[in-house]
Amino acid sequence: MIKIDARDVNFYYGDFHALKSITMAIEEHTSVAFIGPSGCGKSTFLRLFNRMNDLIPDTRMEGTIEIDGRNIYDKSEKVDILRKNVGMVFQKPNPFPKSIFENVAYGLRVNGIKDKGLIEDTVVKSLQQAALWDEVKNKLKKSAFELSGGQQQRLCIARALAISPSVLLMDEPASALDPISTVKIEDLIHELKDRYTIVIVTHNMQQAARVSDKTGFFYMGELVEYGDTRKIFTSPDKEATQNYITGRFG
Protein backbone atom coordinates (compact mmCIF):
# COMPACT_ATOMS: atom_id res chain seq x y z
CA MET A 1 0.00 0.00 0.00
CA ILE A 2 1.34 3.45 -0.96
CA LYS A 3 1.90 5.62 2.13
CA ILE A 4 3.41 8.75 0.58
CA ASP A 5 2.73 9.70 -3.02
CA ALA A 6 4.58 12.74 -4.39
CA ARG A 7 3.79 13.79 -7.94
CA ASP A 8 5.57 16.38 -10.06
CA VAL A 9 6.82 18.31 -7.04
CA ASN A 10 8.63 21.59 -7.65
CA PHE A 11 9.86 23.79 -4.83
CA TYR A 12 11.27 27.31 -4.83
CA TYR A 13 13.23 29.39 -2.33
CA GLY A 14 12.37 32.80 -3.77
CA ASP A 15 13.56 32.56 -7.40
CA PHE A 16 15.78 29.54 -6.75
CA HIS A 17 14.29 26.35 -8.19
CA ALA A 18 15.38 23.90 -5.46
CA LEU A 19 13.37 20.80 -6.44
CA LYS A 20 12.54 19.93 -10.03
CA SER A 21 9.58 17.75 -11.03
CA ILE A 22 10.07 15.05 -8.41
CA THR A 23 7.75 12.05 -8.44
CA MET A 24 8.11 9.31 -5.84
CA ALA A 25 5.90 6.70 -4.17
CA ILE A 26 6.87 5.38 -0.74
CA GLU A 27 5.21 2.21 0.47
CA GLU A 28 3.88 1.61 3.94
CA HIS A 29 6.19 0.05 6.56
CA THR A 30 9.36 0.48 4.54
CA SER A 31 12.47 2.54 5.14
CA VAL A 32 13.61 4.86 2.36
CA ALA A 33 16.96 6.68 2.29
CA PHE A 34 17.69 9.89 0.40
CA ILE A 35 21.34 10.26 -0.64
CA GLY A 36 23.24 12.85 -2.66
CA PRO A 37 25.79 15.64 -2.20
CA SER A 38 25.15 18.62 0.08
CA GLY A 39 22.66 21.12 -1.32
CA CYS A 40 21.05 18.63 -3.71
CA GLY A 41 17.54 18.99 -2.27
CA LYS A 42 17.15 15.83 -0.21
CA SER A 43 16.43 17.57 3.14
CA THR A 44 14.18 20.11 1.43
CA PHE A 45 12.15 17.26 -0.06
CA LEU A 46 12.00 15.43 3.28
CA ARG A 47 10.67 18.53 5.05
CA LEU A 48 7.82 18.82 2.55
CA PHE A 49 6.28 15.67 4.06
CA ASN A 50 5.36 17.47 7.29
CA ARG A 51 5.26 20.98 5.86
CA MET A 52 8.30 22.20 7.80
CA ASN A 53 9.22 24.36 4.81
CA ASP A 54 6.03 26.39 5.45
CA LEU A 55 8.02 28.07 8.22
CA ILE A 56 10.54 29.51 5.72
CA PRO A 57 9.48 32.85 4.17
CA ASP A 58 9.26 33.35 0.40
CA THR A 59 9.00 29.67 -0.52
CA ARG A 60 6.45 27.87 -2.63
CA MET A 61 5.61 24.34 -3.67
CA GLU A 62 3.93 23.11 -6.83
CA GLY A 63 2.64 19.58 -7.44
CA THR A 64 0.92 17.25 -4.99
CA ILE A 65 1.99 15.20 -1.99
CA GLU A 66 -0.51 12.72 -0.59
CA ILE A 67 -0.16 10.79 2.65
CA ASP A 68 -2.75 8.04 3.13
CA GLY A 69 -4.53 9.38 0.06
CA ARG A 70 -4.96 12.91 1.48
CA ASN A 71 -3.40 15.92 -0.22
CA ILE A 72 -1.41 17.38 2.68
CA TYR A 73 -1.16 20.79 0.97
CA ASP A 74 -4.91 21.12 0.54
CA LYS A 75 -6.23 24.27 2.23
CA SER A 76 -8.50 22.16 4.44
CA GLU A 77 -5.59 20.18 5.91
CA LYS A 78 -4.67 21.05 9.51
CA VAL A 79 -0.89 21.25 9.83
CA ASP A 80 -0.87 20.35 13.55
CA ILE A 81 -2.73 17.10 12.82
CA LEU A 82 -0.36 16.35 9.92
CA ARG A 83 2.67 16.81 12.20
CA LYS A 84 1.14 14.49 14.77
CA ASN A 85 0.95 11.82 12.07
CA VAL A 86 4.38 12.60 10.58
CA GLY A 87 7.07 12.71 13.28
CA MET A 88 10.47 14.34 12.77
CA VAL A 89 13.91 13.66 14.20
CA PHE A 90 16.57 16.24 13.43
CA GLN A 91 20.28 16.10 12.80
CA LYS A 92 21.28 17.30 16.26
CA PRO A 93 19.47 15.92 19.32
CA ASN A 94 17.13 18.63 20.58
CA PRO A 95 15.68 17.53 23.92
CA PHE A 96 13.56 20.04 25.82
CA PRO A 97 14.92 21.52 29.08
CA LYS A 98 12.76 19.11 31.05
CA SER A 99 13.06 15.72 32.69
CA ILE A 100 13.48 12.57 30.61
CA PHE A 101 9.89 11.61 31.44
CA GLU A 102 8.44 15.02 30.55
CA ASN A 103 10.31 15.10 27.23
CA VAL A 104 8.37 12.05 26.10
CA ALA A 105 5.10 13.07 27.78
CA TYR A 106 5.17 16.58 26.27
CA GLY A 107 3.38 15.77 23.02
CA LEU A 108 0.64 13.89 24.84
CA ARG A 109 0.01 16.81 27.20
CA VAL A 110 0.00 19.30 24.31
CA ASN A 111 -2.62 17.13 22.60
CA GLY A 112 -4.87 17.39 25.65
CA ILE A 113 -4.27 13.96 27.21
CA LYS A 114 -4.64 14.20 31.00
CA ASP A 115 -4.97 10.53 31.97
CA LYS A 116 -1.89 9.91 34.15
CA GLY A 117 -1.96 6.15 33.65
CA LEU A 118 -2.14 6.50 29.87
CA ILE A 119 0.69 9.04 29.88
CA GLU A 120 2.90 6.79 32.01
CA ASP A 121 2.18 3.72 29.90
CA THR A 122 2.90 5.64 26.69
CA VAL A 123 6.16 7.07 28.01
CA VAL A 124 7.38 3.61 29.02
CA LYS A 125 6.31 2.05 25.71
CA SER A 126 7.92 4.85 23.67
CA LEU A 127 11.21 4.59 25.56
CA GLN A 128 11.15 0.82 25.04
CA GLN A 129 10.52 1.26 21.31
CA ALA A 130 13.41 3.71 21.15
CA ALA A 131 15.68 1.14 22.87
CA LEU A 132 16.31 3.54 25.73
CA TRP A 133 14.15 2.25 28.60
CA ASP A 134 16.77 0.00 30.23
CA GLU A 135 19.25 2.89 30.32
CA VAL A 136 16.92 5.52 31.83
CA LYS A 137 14.22 3.67 33.80
CA ASN A 138 15.81 4.61 37.14
CA LYS A 139 16.37 8.29 36.28
CA LEU A 140 13.17 9.45 34.58
CA LYS A 141 13.08 12.60 36.74
CA LYS A 142 16.62 13.62 35.81
CA SER A 143 17.22 16.29 33.17
CA ALA A 144 17.37 15.09 29.57
CA PHE A 145 20.59 17.10 29.24
CA GLU A 146 22.35 14.59 31.52
CA LEU A 147 22.08 11.96 28.79
CA SER A 148 24.82 11.32 26.23
CA GLY A 149 24.35 12.57 22.66
CA GLY A 150 23.28 9.15 21.42
CA GLN A 151 20.83 8.75 24.30
CA GLN A 152 19.43 12.22 23.65
CA GLN A 153 18.81 11.30 20.01
CA ARG A 154 16.98 8.13 21.03
CA LEU A 155 14.99 10.23 23.52
CA CYS A 156 13.97 12.51 20.63
CA ILE A 157 12.88 9.41 18.70
CA ALA A 158 10.84 8.27 21.74
CA ARG A 159 9.28 11.74 21.92
CA ALA A 160 8.27 11.49 18.25
CA LEU A 161 6.85 7.98 18.73
CA ALA A 162 4.79 8.92 21.81
CA ILE A 163 2.12 10.71 19.77
CA SER A 164 1.62 7.64 17.54
CA PRO A 165 2.77 8.87 14.14
CA SER A 166 2.53 6.59 11.13
CA VAL A 167 5.51 8.21 9.36
CA LEU A 168 8.89 9.03 10.92
CA LEU A 169 11.19 11.47 9.14
CA MET A 170 14.88 11.47 10.08
CA ASP A 171 17.20 14.19 8.83
CA GLU A 172 20.79 12.91 9.25
CA PRO A 173 19.87 11.39 12.64
CA ALA A 174 23.29 9.91 13.35
CA SER A 175 25.64 12.48 11.81
CA ALA A 176 26.42 14.10 15.18
CA LEU A 177 26.88 10.78 16.99
CA ASP A 178 29.77 8.45 17.77
CA PRO A 179 30.01 5.06 15.97
CA ILE A 180 28.47 3.02 18.82
CA SER A 181 25.46 5.36 19.09
CA THR A 182 25.14 5.29 15.30
CA VAL A 183 24.84 1.50 15.33
CA LYS A 184 22.09 1.75 17.98
CA ILE A 185 20.14 4.25 15.84
CA GLU A 186 20.53 2.00 12.78
CA ASP A 187 19.36 -1.06 14.71
CA LEU A 188 16.40 0.97 15.89
CA ILE A 189 15.43 1.92 12.33
CA HIS A 190 15.38 -1.79 11.42
CA GLU A 191 13.06 -2.55 14.33
CA LEU A 192 10.73 0.40 13.82
CA LYS A 193 10.03 -0.03 10.12
CA ASP A 194 7.68 -2.94 10.89
CA ARG A 195 5.35 -0.41 12.52
CA TYR A 196 6.20 2.89 10.82
CA THR A 197 7.12 4.24 7.43
CA ILE A 198 10.61 5.73 7.80
CA VAL A 199 12.29 8.24 5.53
CA ILE A 200 15.90 9.08 6.30
CA VAL A 201 18.28 11.62 4.81
CA THR A 202 21.90 10.56 5.15
CA HIS A 203 25.30 11.59 3.82
CA ASN A 204 26.61 8.18 4.79
CA MET A 205 26.12 5.82 1.86
CA GLN A 206 27.06 2.76 3.92
CA GLN A 207 24.32 3.74 6.35
CA ALA A 208 21.80 4.08 3.51
CA ALA A 209 22.78 0.62 2.28
CA ARG A 210 22.38 -0.85 5.77
CA VAL A 211 19.07 0.66 6.88
CA SER A 212 16.90 1.23 3.81
CA ASP A 213 14.68 -0.88 1.57
CA LYS A 214 14.71 1.76 -1.17
CA THR A 215 17.07 4.60 -1.97
CA GLY A 216 16.59 7.84 -3.86
CA PHE A 217 19.65 9.58 -5.31
CA PHE A 218 19.25 13.37 -5.56
CA TYR A 219 21.48 15.66 -7.57
CA MET A 220 21.05 19.40 -8.20
CA GLY A 221 17.38 19.38 -7.23
CA GLU A 222 16.46 16.36 -9.30
CA LEU A 223 15.64 12.79 -8.32
CA VAL A 224 18.12 11.03 -10.58
CA GLU A 225 17.20 7.48 -9.60
CA TYR A 226 14.93 5.73 -7.11
CA GLY A 227 14.66 2.01 -6.54
CA ASP A 228 15.55 -0.99 -4.41
CA THR A 229 18.60 -0.18 -2.31
CA ARG A 230 20.50 -3.30 -3.34
CA LYS A 231 20.07 -2.44 -7.02
CA ILE A 232 20.96 1.24 -6.55
CA PHE A 233 24.22 0.25 -4.86
CA THR A 234 25.19 -2.67 -7.10
CA SER A 235 23.81 -1.96 -10.58
CA PRO A 236 22.24 1.51 -10.86
CA ASP A 237 20.60 2.47 -14.14
CA LYS A 238 22.09 5.96 -14.32
CA GLU A 239 25.75 6.82 -14.80
CA ALA A 240 25.47 9.75 -12.38
CA THR A 241 24.31 7.38 -9.60
CA GLN A 242 27.22 5.04 -10.32
CA ASN A 243 29.66 7.95 -10.25
CA TYR A 244 28.35 9.22 -6.91
CA ILE A 245 28.32 5.79 -5.26
CA THR A 246 31.86 5.00 -6.41
CA GLY A 247 33.09 8.36 -5.09
CA ARG A 248 33.82 10.04 -8.42
CA PHE A 249 32.01 13.17 -7.23
CA GLY A 250 30.05 14.52 -4.24
Side-chain angles (χ1 to χ4, degrees), residues 203-224:
H203 271 100
N204 183 328
M205 281 187 284
Q206 289 79 19
Q207 183 173 77
R210 286 192 296 262
V211 304
S212 68
D213 302 305
K214 288 194 167 181
T215 297
F217 168 54
F218 288 76
Y219 185 60
M220 296 184 74
E222 295 182 359
L223 178 60
V224 176

Side-chain angles (χ1 to χ4, degrees), residues 170-202:
M170 297 181 161
D171 194 357
E172 301 260 7
S175 66
L177 305 181
D178 62 89
I180 292 168
S181 298
T182 297
V183 169
K184 287 186 175 175
I185 297 289
E186 291 181 6
D187 288 345
L188 189 51
I189 292 168
H190 276 293
E191 288 171 32
L192 293 176
K193 73 178 181 189
D194 291 339
R195 282 164 287 188
Y196 307 92
T197 302
I198 298 175
V199 189
I200 176 171
V201 166
T202 178

Side-chain angles (χ1 to χ4, degrees), residues 4-205:
I4 303 172
D5 195 8
R7 292 190 296 274
D8 202 23
V9 171
N10 288 272
F11 186 78
Y12 299 84
Y13 293 103
D15 294 331
F16 176 62
H17 194 176
L19 295 173
K20 301 165 187 171
S21 302
I22 292 180
T23 293
M24 172 186 284
I26 294 174
E27 288 155 7
E28 196 171 47
H29 297 168
T30 55
S31 58
V32 173
F34 296 168
I35 62 170
S38 294
C40 66
K42 54 192 187 295
S43 288
T44 296
F45 189 54
L46 181 84
R47 291 196 302 264
L48 288 176
F49 296 158
N50 70 346
R51 294 186 52 173
M52 288 292 281
N53 292 331
D54 290 16
L55 305 171
I56 304 169
D58 196 23
T59 58
R60 76 180 196 277
M61 191 205 86
E62 297 167 353
T64 59
I65 297 176
E66 292 182 355
I67 296 180
D68 292 326
R70 296 173 65 93
N71 180 356
I72 64 169
Y73 282 84
D74 189 89
K75 288 191 167 52
S76 65
E77 283 294 301
K78 292 187 167 58
V79 177
D80 55 338
I81 293 173
L82 170 70
R83 290 191 185 138
K84 186 174 180 292
N85 185 43
V86 183
M88 181 104 187
V89 177
F90 295 92
Q91 184 169 359
K92 290 198 173 108
N94 60 340
F96 300 140
K98 298 173 180 287
S99 71
I100 293 166
F101 183 94
E102 284 303 325
N103 260 273
V104 185
Y106 177 81
L108 300 168
R109 297 194 197 283
V110 166
N111 283 292
I113 293 170
K114 296 189 172 70
D115 181 330
K116 278 189 173 176
L118 177 60
I119 289 173
E120 282 185 20
D121 288 348
T122 305
V123 168
V124 172
K125 183 176 149 206
S126 303
L127 287 167
Q128 286 171 336
Q129 282 190 313
L132 190 58
W133 172 249
D134 289 341
E135 294 165 51
V136 302
K137 62 187 176 188
N138 297 320
K139 46 184 178 185
L140 295 175
K141 292 184 175 160
K142 295 271 182 79
S143 166
F145 294 135
E146 291 185 24
L147 298 174
S148 70
Q151 289 173 323
Q152 286 184 13
Q153 191 64 302
R154 280 180 285 144
L155 180 67
C156 293
I157 292 170
R159 187 174 70 198
L161 297 178
I163 52 171
S164 302
S166 65
V167 177
L168 193 58
L169 308 178
M170 297 181 161
D171 194 357
E172 301 260 7
S175 66
L177 305 181
D178 62 89
I180 292 168
S181 298
T182 297
V183 169
K184 287 186 175 175
I185 297 289
E186 291 181 6
D187 288 345
L188 189 51
I189 292 168
H190 276 293
E191 288 171 32
L192 293 176
K193 73 178 181 189
D194 291 339
R195 282 164 287 188
Y196 307 92
T197 302
I198 298 175
V199 189
I200 176 171
V201 166
T202 178
H203 271 100
N204 183 328
M205 281 187 284

